[in-house]
Amino acid sequence: MTPDAEEPLPELDLRLTEENPEDLYEHAPCGYCSCLPDGTLVKLNATLLGWLGYAREELVARQALAQLLTVGGRLHFETHGTPLLLLRGQVRELSYTLRRKDGTALPVLLSAVLVRDADGTPLVVRVTLFDITERRKYEQELLRTRALAEERGAQLAQANAQLTAQNEQLLRTNADLDSFVYTASHDLKQPIDNMTGLFEEFKRTATFADPEAAGMVGMFAEALQQILGTISGLAEVVQVQRQLEEVAAEAVPLQPLAEEVVRSLQPQATDAGAEFELDFAAAPALRMARPGAQSMFYNLFSNALRYAQPGRRPRVRVSTARAGTSTVLTVQDNGRGIDLERHRRHLFQLFRRFHPEVAGSGVGLYLVHRLVLQAGGRIEVESAVGQGTAFRLYFPA
């Protein structure tokens, strides 16, 4: 024998064995009733009477079980429940709604057993009823929640469809705008070049008696250069965008690319005595389209040279670092700096310039910002007037 089998059983309170069967029937936590094969009620317990609000004499031998059901429930019980009961001798957990004496509804689960006599003739039907009011509330709440979820799902699907259509429209609009800008800049460049040539010839051959003519000629020449710069900037924006669409993203090694861009800027760098410090040890490569990376470096480096502080040797430090799930590319100079309190909101807008005394098109920072966004990144800027600017470009690692 196991040790558990040898342990004495706990003593039982003998009062638990003295339950009155009649009281147990009358006050059970469920409803009991008995009816004849035709449905006439012959016995109901007090629990069921309490639920329904009837006195016993109002129902016994006066009403049938089906009369306590709603019209739909009565039809189902007579066409489905009763035939099944006769065929199988029992039915289990049929969901019905009882009508109380005051007209209110009581949802129940009905189970029944058919008792036959010795000859097999149906004698009595014993019925058990369970109150499922709370269960019904729970089911209705589930249905309501499901309907609400389906409605919101449909709304979300509709919103997604509208968003998709709007995105497609925006893509078409952007493509049309890019084509228009490219065509316009291309078509305008030739007439402006012709005007520039004619103006140069005009300056070479013409003489002016008016002493103010030289200043006006200079202003006209400056205006021509501004127009040429704007046209070139527009063409560059579209050209870079088209290159990004044609070239897939890749892991671009930064050291050789940066050195290549610095060499392309060598004349300006030599004239200014500029120094470039490159340190990509922490993150040697960035994943993006190579033309985009080249344009990004070129615009940041050339801006650092163009906006150098007068009387100060330009120093440009370029480095990478890891920050959580991001790769950070920092380009820091010691140039003129930008008044961020005045210009932060307009920093990356097209054709915005913050040092009018320095020639420029206002395209560089716009392009850099656009390239970083297309690569899934973002830009932070720190700058102080007269001290320099630091651009921190965050890319997904």
Side-chain angles (χ1 to χ4, degrees), residues 181-201:
V181 169
Y182 182 78
T183 302
S185 61
H186 181 272
D187 292 346
L188 288 172
K189 191 174 187 305
Q190 186 62 44
I192 295 298
D193 285 340
N194 292 339
M195 289 177 62
T196 302
L198 290 171
F199 183 67
E200 292 298 324
E201 182 63 20

mmCIF file with all atom_site columns, all heavy atoms in Angstrom, residues 181-201:
data_model
loop_
_atom_site.group_PDB
_atom_site.id
_atom_site.type_symbol
_atom_site.label_atom_id
_atom_site.label_alt_id
_atom_site.label_comp_id
_atom_site.label_asym_id
_atom_site.label_entity_id
_atom_site.label_seq_id
_atom_site.pdbx_PDB_ins_code
_atom_site.Cartn_x
_atom_site.Cartn_y
_atom_site.Cartn_z
_atom_site.occupancy
_atom_site.B_iso_or_equiv
_atom_site.pdbx_formal_charge
_atom_site.auth_seq_id
_atom_site.auth_comp_id
_atom_site.auth_asym_id
_atom_site.auth_atom_id
_atom_site.pdbx_PDB_model_num
ATOM 1   N N   . VAL A 1 181 ? 10.119 70.342 -64.428 1.00 0.00 ? 181 VAL A N   1
ATOM 2   C CA  . VAL A 1 181 ? 11.287 71.111 -63.994 1.00 0.00 ? 181 VAL A CA  1
ATOM 3   C C   . VAL A 1 181 ? 12.487 70.807 -64.878 1.00 0.00 ? 181 VAL A C   1
ATOM 4   O O   . VAL A 1 181 ? 13.231 71.712 -65.292 1.00 0.00 ? 181 VAL A O   1
ATOM 5   C CB  . VAL A 1 181 ? 11.599 70.805 -62.513 1.00 0.00 ? 181 VAL A CB  1
ATOM 6   C CG1 . VAL A 1 181 ? 12.948 71.385 -62.115 1.00 0.00 ? 181 VAL A CG1 1
ATOM 7   C CG2 . VAL A 1 181 ? 10.510 71.372 -61.618 1.00 0.00 ? 181 VAL A CG2 1
ATOM 8   N N   . TYR A 1 182 ? 12.677 69.519 -65.177 1.00 0.00 ? 182 TYR A N   1
ATOM 9   C CA  . TYR A 1 182 ? 13.824 69.135 -66.004 1.00 0.00 ? 182 TYR A CA  1
ATOM 10  C C   . TYR A 1 182 ? 13.700 69.746 -67.402 1.00 0.00 ? 182 TYR A C   1
ATOM 11  O O   . TYR A 1 182 ? 14.658 70.304 -67.946 1.00 0.00 ? 182 TYR A O   1
ATOM 12  C CB  . TYR A 1 182 ? 13.909 67.619 -66.099 1.00 0.00 ? 182 TYR A CB  1
ATOM 13  C CG  . TYR A 1 182 ? 15.087 67.134 -66.900 1.00 0.00 ? 182 TYR A CG  1
ATOM 14  C CD1 . TYR A 1 182 ? 16.364 67.107 -66.347 1.00 0.00 ? 182 TYR A CD1 1
ATOM 15  C CD2 . TYR A 1 182 ? 14.932 66.717 -68.222 1.00 0.00 ? 182 TYR A CD2 1
ATOM 16  C CE1 . TYR A 1 182 ? 17.457 66.666 -67.080 1.00 0.00 ? 182 TYR A CE1 1
ATOM 17  C CE2 . TYR A 1 182 ? 16.016 66.286 -68.965 1.00 0.00 ? 182 TYR A CE2 1
ATOM 18  C CZ  . TYR A 1 182 ? 17.279 66.261 -68.394 1.00 0.00 ? 182 TYR A CZ  1
ATOM 19  O OH  . TYR A 1 182 ? 18.359 65.842 -69.128 1.00 0.00 ? 182 TYR A OH  1
ATOM 20  N N   . THR A 1 183 ? 12.492 69.651 -67.979 1.00 0.00 ? 183 THR A N   1
ATOM 21  C CA  . THR A 1 183 ? 12.285 70.205 -69.326 1.00 0.00 ? 183 THR A CA  1
ATOM 22  C C   . THR A 1 183 ? 12.452 71.718 -69.332 1.00 0.00 ? 183 THR A C   1
ATOM 23  O O   . THR A 1 183 ? 13.092 72.289 -70.213 1.00 0.00 ? 183 THR A O   1
ATOM 24  C CB  . THR A 1 183 ? 10.872 69.824 -69.823 1.00 0.00 ? 183 THR A CB  1
ATOM 25  O OG1 . THR A 1 183 ? 10.729 68.409 -69.824 1.00 0.00 ? 183 THR A OG1 1
ATOM 26  C CG2 . THR A 1 183 ? 10.637 70.342 -71.234 1.00 0.00 ? 183 THR A CG2 1
ATOM 27  N N   . ALA A 1 184 ? 11.852 72.366 -68.310 1.00 0.00 ? 184 ALA A N   1
ATOM 28  C CA  . ALA A 1 184 ? 11.940 73.828 -68.247 1.00 0.00 ? 184 ALA A CA  1
ATOM 29  C C   . ALA A 1 184 ? 13.374 74.287 -68.080 1.00 0.00 ? 184 ALA A C   1
ATOM 30  O O   . ALA A 1 184 ? 13.838 75.217 -68.763 1.00 0.00 ? 184 ALA A O   1
ATOM 31  C CB  . ALA A 1 184 ? 11.077 74.354 -67.102 1.00 0.00 ? 184 ALA A CB  1
ATOM 32  N N   . SER A 1 185 ? 14.118 73.643 -67.167 1.00 0.00 ? 185 SER A N   1
ATOM 33  C CA  . SER A 1 185 ? 15.509 74.044 -66.948 1.00 0.00 ? 185 SER A CA  1
ATOM 34  C C   . SER A 1 185 ? 16.360 73.787 -68.192 1.00 0.00 ? 185 SER A C   1
ATOM 35  O O   . SER A 1 185 ? 17.235 74.583 -68.542 1.00 0.00 ? 185 SER A O   1
ATOM 36  C CB  . SER A 1 185 ? 16.085 73.304 -65.740 1.00 0.00 ? 185 SER A CB  1
ATOM 37  O OG  . SER A 1 185 ? 16.062 71.893 -65.945 1.00 0.00 ? 185 SER A OG  1
ATOM 38  N N   . HIS A 1 186 ? 16.076 72.675 -68.878 1.00 0.00 ? 186 HIS A N   1
ATOM 39  C CA  . HIS A 1 186 ? 16.826 72.352 -70.092 1.00 0.00 ? 186 HIS A CA  1
ATOM 40  C C   . HIS A 1 186 ? 16.524 73.352 -71.200 1.00 0.00 ? 186 HIS A C   1
ATOM 41  O O   . HIS A 1 186 ? 17.427 73.840 -71.898 1.00 0.00 ? 186 HIS A O   1
ATOM 42  C CB  . HIS A 1 186 ? 16.480 70.932 -70.548 1.00 0.00 ? 186 HIS A CB  1
ATOM 43  C CG  . HIS A 1 186 ? 17.232 70.495 -71.776 1.00 0.00 ? 186 HIS A CG  1
ATOM 44  N ND1 . HIS A 1 186 ? 16.762 70.740 -73.051 1.00 0.00 ? 186 HIS A ND1 1
ATOM 45  C CD2 . HIS A 1 186 ? 18.429 69.865 -71.933 1.00 0.00 ? 186 HIS A CD2 1
ATOM 46  C CE1 . HIS A 1 186 ? 17.615 70.259 -73.939 1.00 0.00 ? 186 HIS A CE1 1
ATOM 47  N NE2 . HIS A 1 186 ? 18.640 69.721 -73.282 1.00 0.00 ? 186 HIS A NE2 1
ATOM 48  N N   . ASP A 1 187 ? 15.240 73.692 -71.350 1.00 0.00 ? 187 ASP A N   1
ATOM 49  C CA  . ASP A 1 187 ? 14.844 74.609 -72.415 1.00 0.00 ? 187 ASP A CA  1
ATOM 50  C C   . ASP A 1 187 ? 15.293 76.049 -72.134 1.00 0.00 ? 187 ASP A C   1
ATOM 51  O O   . ASP A 1 187 ? 15.532 76.822 -73.063 1.00 0.00 ? 187 ASP A O   1
ATOM 52  C CB  . ASP A 1 187 ? 13.327 74.578 -72.606 1.00 0.00 ? 187 ASP A CB  1
ATOM 53  C CG  . ASP A 1 187 ? 12.855 73.234 -73.170 1.00 0.00 ? 187 ASP A CG  1
ATOM 54  O OD1 . ASP A 1 187 ? 13.707 72.458 -73.644 1.00 0.00 ? 187 ASP A OD1 1
ATOM 55  O OD2 . ASP A 1 187 ? 11.639 72.969 -73.128 1.00 0.00 ? 187 ASP A OD2 1
ATOM 56  N N   . LEU A 1 188 ? 15.386 76.396 -70.840 1.00 0.00 ? 188 LEU A N   1
ATOM 57  C CA  . LEU A 1 188 ? 15.800 77.751 -70.495 1.00 0.00 ? 188 LEU A CA  1
ATOM 58  C C   . LEU A 1 188 ? 17.308 77.945 -70.563 1.00 0.00 ? 188 LEU A C   1
ATOM 59  O O   . LEU A 1 188 ? 17.786 79.064 -70.765 1.00 0.00 ? 188 LEU A O   1
ATOM 60  C CB  . LEU A 1 188 ? 15.309 78.115 -69.089 1.00 0.00 ? 188 LEU A CB  1
ATOM 61  C CG  . LEU A 1 188 ? 13.806 78.371 -68.933 1.00 0.00 ? 188 LEU A CG  1
ATOM 62  C CD1 . LEU A 1 188 ? 13.461 78.519 -67.453 1.00 0.00 ? 188 LEU A CD1 1
ATOM 63  C CD2 . LEU A 1 188 ? 13.403 79.636 -69.687 1.00 0.00 ? 188 LEU A CD2 1
ATOM 64  N N   . LYS A 1 189 ? 18.040 76.882 -70.384 1.00 0.00 ? 189 LYS A N   1
ATOM 65  C CA  . LYS A 1 189 ? 19.501 77.008 -70.284 1.00 0.00 ? 189 LYS A CA  1
ATOM 66  C C   . LYS A 1 189 ? 20.108 77.550 -71.577 1.00 0.00 ? 189 LYS A C   1
ATOM 67  O O   . LYS A 1 189 ? 20.997 78.425 -71.545 1.00 0.00 ? 189 LYS A O   1
ATOM 68  C CB  . LYS A 1 189 ? 20.121 75.649 -69.936 1.00 0.00 ? 189 LYS A CB  1
ATOM 69  C CG  . LYS A 1 189 ? 21.597 75.731 -69.553 1.00 0.00 ? 189 LYS A CG  1
ATOM 70  C CD  . LYS A 1 189 ? 22.104 74.388 -69.080 1.00 0.00 ? 189 LYS A CD  1
ATOM 71  C CE  . LYS A 1 189 ? 23.529 74.507 -68.544 1.00 0.00 ? 189 LYS A CE  1
ATOM 72  N NZ  . LYS A 1 189 ? 24.460 75.110 -69.514 1.00 0.00 ? 189 LYS A NZ  1
ATOM 73  N N   . GLN A 1 190 ? 19.636 77.068 -72.707 1.00 0.00 ? 190 GLN A N   1
ATOM 74  C CA  . GLN A 1 190 ? 20.226 77.508 -73.972 1.00 0.00 ? 190 GLN A CA  1
ATOM 75  C C   . GLN A 1 190 ? 19.990 79.001 -74.222 1.00 0.00 ? 190 GLN A C   1
ATOM 76  O O   . GLN A 1 190 ? 20.941 79.737 -74.547 1.00 0.00 ? 190 GLN A O   1
ATOM 77  C CB  . GLN A 1 190 ? 19.662 76.673 -75.130 1.00 0.00 ? 190 GLN A CB  1
ATOM 78  C CG  . GLN A 1 190 ? 20.317 76.959 -76.477 1.00 0.00 ? 190 GLN A CG  1
ATOM 79  C CD  . GLN A 1 190 ? 21.797 76.640 -76.463 1.00 0.00 ? 190 GLN A CD  1
ATOM 80  O OE1 . GLN A 1 190 ? 22.214 75.609 -75.956 1.00 0.00 ? 190 GLN A OE1 1
ATOM 81  N NE2 . GLN A 1 190 ? 22.625 77.555 -76.998 1.00 0.00 ? 190 GLN A NE2 1
ATOM 82  N N   . PRO A 1 191 ? 18.745 79.500 -74.049 1.00 0.00 ? 191 PRO A N   1
ATOM 83  C CA  . PRO A 1 191 ? 18.569 80.959 -74.245 1.00 0.00 ? 191 PRO A CA  1
ATOM 84  C C   . PRO A 1 191 ? 19.392 81.796 -73.271 1.00 0.00 ? 191 PRO A C   1
ATOM 85  O O   . PRO A 1 191 ? 19.930 82.845 -73.655 1.00 0.00 ? 191 PRO A O   1
ATOM 86  C CB  . PRO A 1 191 ? 17.063 81.170 -74.006 1.00 0.00 ? 191 PRO A CB  1
ATOM 87  C CG  . PRO A 1 191 ? 16.443 79.847 -74.288 1.00 0.00 ? 191 PRO A CG  1
ATOM 88  C CD  . PRO A 1 191 ? 17.454 78.839 -73.862 1.00 0.00 ? 191 PRO A CD  1
ATOM 89  N N   . ILE A 1 192 ? 19.513 81.336 -71.998 1.00 0.00 ? 192 ILE A N   1
ATOM 90  C CA  . ILE A 1 192 ? 20.300 82.094 -71.033 1.00 0.00 ? 192 ILE A CA  1
ATOM 91  C C   . ILE A 1 192 ? 21.778 82.066 -71.406 1.00 0.00 ? 192 ILE A C   1
ATOM 92  O O   . ILE A 1 192 ? 22.492 83.086 -71.296 1.00 0.00 ? 192 ILE A O   1
ATOM 93  C CB  . ILE A 1 192 ? 20.089 81.543 -69.617 1.00 0.00 ? 192 ILE A CB  1
ATOM 94  C CG1 . ILE A 1 192 ? 18.641 81.755 -69.177 1.00 0.00 ? 192 ILE A CG1 1
ATOM 95  C CG2 . ILE A 1 192 ? 21.030 82.207 -68.620 1.00 0.00 ? 192 ILE A CG2 1
ATOM 96  C CD1 . ILE A 1 192 ? 18.236 83.208 -69.092 1.00 0.00 ? 192 ILE A CD1 1
ATOM 97  N N   . ASP A 1 193 ? 22.254 80.913 -71.885 1.00 0.00 ? 193 ASP A N   1
ATOM 98  C CA  . ASP A 1 193 ? 23.652 80.848 -72.347 1.00 0.00 ? 193 ASP A CA  1
ATOM 99  C C   . ASP A 1 193 ? 23.866 81.809 -73.520 1.00 0.00 ? 193 ASP A C   1
ATOM 100 O O   . ASP A 1 193 ? 24.909 82.483 -73.620 1.00 0.00 ? 193 ASP A O   1
ATOM 101 C CB  . ASP A 1 193 ? 24.006 79.422 -72.769 1.00 0.00 ? 193 ASP A CB  1
ATOM 102 C CG  . ASP A 1 193 ? 24.202 78.506 -71.569 1.00 0.00 ? 193 ASP A CG  1
ATOM 103 O OD1 . ASP A 1 193 ? 24.437 79.030 -70.457 1.00 0.00 ? 193 ASP A OD1 1
ATOM 104 O OD2 . ASP A 1 193 ? 24.113 77.276 -71.735 1.00 0.00 ? 193 ASP A OD2 1
ATOM 105 N N   . ASN A 1 194 ? 22.879 81.862 -74.400 1.00 0.00 ? 194 ASN A N   1
ATOM 106 C CA  . ASN A 1 194 ? 22.987 82.788 -75.535 1.00 0.00 ? 194 ASN A CA  1
ATOM 107 C C   . ASN A 1 194 ? 23.026 84.234 -75.048 1.00 0.00 ? 194 ASN A C   1
ATOM 108 O O   . ASN A 1 194 ? 23.813 85.057 -75.550 1.00 0.00 ? 194 ASN A O   1
ATOM 109 C CB  . ASN A 1 194 ? 21.811 82.593 -76.492 1.00 0.00 ? 194 ASN A CB  1
ATOM 110 C CG  . ASN A 1 194 ? 21.867 81.246 -77.200 1.00 0.00 ? 194 ASN A CG  1
ATOM 111 O OD1 . ASN A 1 194 ? 22.927 80.624 -77.286 1.00 0.00 ? 194 ASN A OD1 1
ATOM 112 N ND2 . ASN A 1 194 ? 20.732 80.798 -77.719 1.00 0.00 ? 194 ASN A ND2 1
ATOM 113 N N   . MET A 1 195 ? 22.153 84.533 -74.059 1.00 0.00 ? 195 MET A N   1
ATOM 114 C CA  . MET A 1 195 ? 22.150 85.889 -73.504 1.00 0.00 ? 195 MET A CA  1
ATOM 115 C C   . MET A 1 195 ? 23.489 86.219 -72.863 1.00 0.00 ? 195 MET A C   1
ATOM 116 O O   . MET A 1 195 ? 24.003 87.345 -73.003 1.00 0.00 ? 195 MET A O   1
ATOM 117 C CB  . MET A 1 195 ? 21.021 86.023 -72.468 1.00 0.00 ? 195 MET A CB  1
ATOM 118 C CG  . MET A 1 195 ? 19.625 86.034 -73.073 1.00 0.00 ? 195 MET A CG  1
ATOM 119 S SD  . MET A 1 195 ? 18.361 86.116 -71.789 1.00 0.00 ? 195 MET A SD  1
ATOM 120 C CE  . MET A 1 195 ? 18.753 87.706 -71.038 1.00 0.00 ? 195 MET A CE  1
ATOM 121 N N   . THR A 1 196 ? 24.058 85.254 -72.162 1.00 0.00 ? 196 THR A N   1
ATOM 122 C CA  . THR A 1 196 ? 25.359 85.478 -71.522 1.00 0.00 ? 196 THR A CA  1
ATOM 123 C C   . THR A 1 196 ? 26.436 85.766 -72.564 1.00 0.00 ? 196 THR A C   1
ATOM 124 O O   . THR A 1 196 ? 27.261 86.689 -72.410 1.00 0.00 ? 196 THR A O   1
ATOM 125 C CB  . THR A 1 196 ? 25.750 84.250 -70.681 1.00 0.00 ? 196 THR A CB  1
ATOM 126 O OG1 . THR A 1 196 ? 24.732 84.006 -69.711 1.00 0.00 ? 196 THR A OG1 1
ATOM 127 C CG2 . THR A 1 196 ? 27.075 84.472 -69.973 1.00 0.00 ? 196 THR A CG2 1
ATOM 128 N N   . GLY A 1 197 ? 26.430 84.978 -73.651 1.00 0.00 ? 197 GLY A N   1
ATOM 129 C CA  . GLY A 1 197 ? 27.409 85.212 -74.718 1.00 0.00 ? 197 GLY A CA  1
ATOM 130 C C   . GLY A 1 197 ? 27.231 86.575 -75.363 1.00 0.00 ? 197 GLY A C   1
ATOM 131 O O   . GLY A 1 197 ? 28.212 87.300 -75.627 1.00 0.00 ? 197 GLY A O   1
ATOM 132 N N   . LEU A 1 198 ? 25.977 86.931 -75.653 1.00 0.00 ? 198 LEU A N   1
ATOM 133 C CA  . LEU A 1 198 ? 25.706 88.236 -76.252 1.00 0.00 ? 198 LEU A CA  1
ATOM 134 C C   . LEU A 1 198 ? 26.115 89.370 -75.319 1.00 0.00 ? 198 LEU A C   1
ATOM 135 O O   . LEU A 1 198 ? 26.655 90.400 -75.752 1.00 0.00 ? 198 LEU A O   1
ATOM 136 C CB  . LEU A 1 198 ? 24.218 88.339 -76.591 1.00 0.00 ? 198 LEU A CB  1
ATOM 137 C CG  . LEU A 1 198 ? 23.725 87.466 -77.745 1.00 0.00 ? 198 LEU A CG  1
ATOM 138 C CD1 . LEU A 1 198 ? 22.205 87.509 -77.833 1.00 0.00 ? 198 LEU A CD1 1
ATOM 139 C CD2 . LEU A 1 198 ? 24.343 87.929 -79.068 1.00 0.00 ? 198 LEU A CD2 1
ATOM 140 N N   . PHE A 1 199 ? 25.866 89.155 -74.008 1.00 0.00 ? 199 PHE A N   1
ATOM 141 C CA  . PHE A 1 199 ? 26.209 90.198 -73.046 1.00 0.00 ? 199 PHE A CA  1
ATOM 142 C C   . PHE A 1 199 ? 27.723 90.380 -72.960 1.00 0.00 ? 199 PHE A C   1
ATOM 143 O O   . PHE A 1 199 ? 28.226 91.510 -72.866 1.00 0.00 ? 199 PHE A O   1
ATOM 144 C CB  . PHE A 1 199 ? 25.628 89.847 -71.679 1.00 0.00 ? 199 PHE A CB  1
ATOM 145 C CG  . PHE A 1 199 ? 25.870 90.892 -70.641 1.00 0.00 ? 199 PHE A CG  1
ATOM 146 C CD1 . PHE A 1 199 ? 25.275 92.145 -70.735 1.00 0.00 ? 199 PHE A CD1 1
ATOM 147 C CD2 . PHE A 1 199 ? 26.716 90.635 -69.561 1.00 0.00 ? 199 PHE A CD2 1
ATOM 148 C CE1 . PHE A 1 199 ? 25.512 93.115 -69.776 1.00 0.00 ? 199 PHE A CE1 1
ATOM 149 C CE2 . PHE A 1 199 ? 26.957 91.600 -68.605 1.00 0.00 ? 199 PHE A CE2 1
ATOM 150 C CZ  . PHE A 1 199 ? 26.359 92.850 -68.709 1.00 0.00 ? 199 PHE A CZ  1
ATOM 151 N N   . GLU A 1 200 ? 28.447 89.267 -72.980 1.00 0.00 ? 200 GLU A N   1
ATOM 152 C CA  . GLU A 1 200 ? 29.910 89.374 -72.959 1.00 0.00 ? 200 GLU A CA  1
ATOM 153 C C   . GLU A 1 200 ? 30.416 90.116 -74.186 1.00 0.00 ? 200 GLU A C   1
ATOM 154 O O   . GLU A 1 200 ? 31.341 90.941 -74.105 1.00 0.00 ? 200 GLU A O   1
ATOM 155 C CB  . GLU A 1 200 ? 30.530 87.972 -72.881 1.00 0.00 ? 200 GLU A CB  1
ATOM 156 C CG  . GLU A 1 200 ? 30.293 87.258 -71.556 1.00 0.00 ? 200 GLU A CG  1
ATOM 157 C CD  . GLU A 1 200 ? 30.929 88.025 -70.395 1.00 0.00 ? 200 GLU A CD  1
ATOM 158 O OE1 . GLU A 1 200 ? 32.019 88.617 -70.580 1.00 0.00 ? 200 GLU A OE1 1
ATOM 159 O OE2 . GLU A 1 200 ? 30.312 88.025 -69.306 1.00 0.00 ? 200 GLU A OE2 1
ATOM 160 N N   . GLU A 1 201 ? 29.826 89.810 -75.348 1.00 0.00 ? 201 GLU A N   1
ATOM 161 C CA  . GLU A 1 201 ? 30.226 90.517 -76.572 1.00 0.00 ? 201 GLU A CA  1
ATOM 162 C C   . GLU A 1 201 ? 29.856 91.997 -76.495 1.00 0.00 ? 201 GLU A C   1
ATOM 163 O O   . GLU A 1 201 ? 30.609 92.870 -76.928 1.00 0.00 ? 201 GLU A O   1
ATOM 164 C CB  . GLU A 1 201 ? 29.536 89.868 -77.778 1.00 0.00 ? 201 GLU A CB  1
ATOM 165 C CG  . GLU A 1 201 ? 29.894 90.474 -79.130 1.00 0.00 ? 201 GLU A CG  1
ATOM 166 C CD  . GLU A 1 201 ? 31.368 90.309 -79.469 1.00 0.00 ? 201 GLU A CD  1
ATOM 167 O OE1 . GLU A 1 201 ? 32.054 89.436 -78.883 1.00 0.00 ? 201 GLU A OE1 1
ATOM 168 O OE2 . GLU A 1 201 ? 31.853 91.066 -80.346 1.00 0.00 ? 201 GLU A OE2 1
#
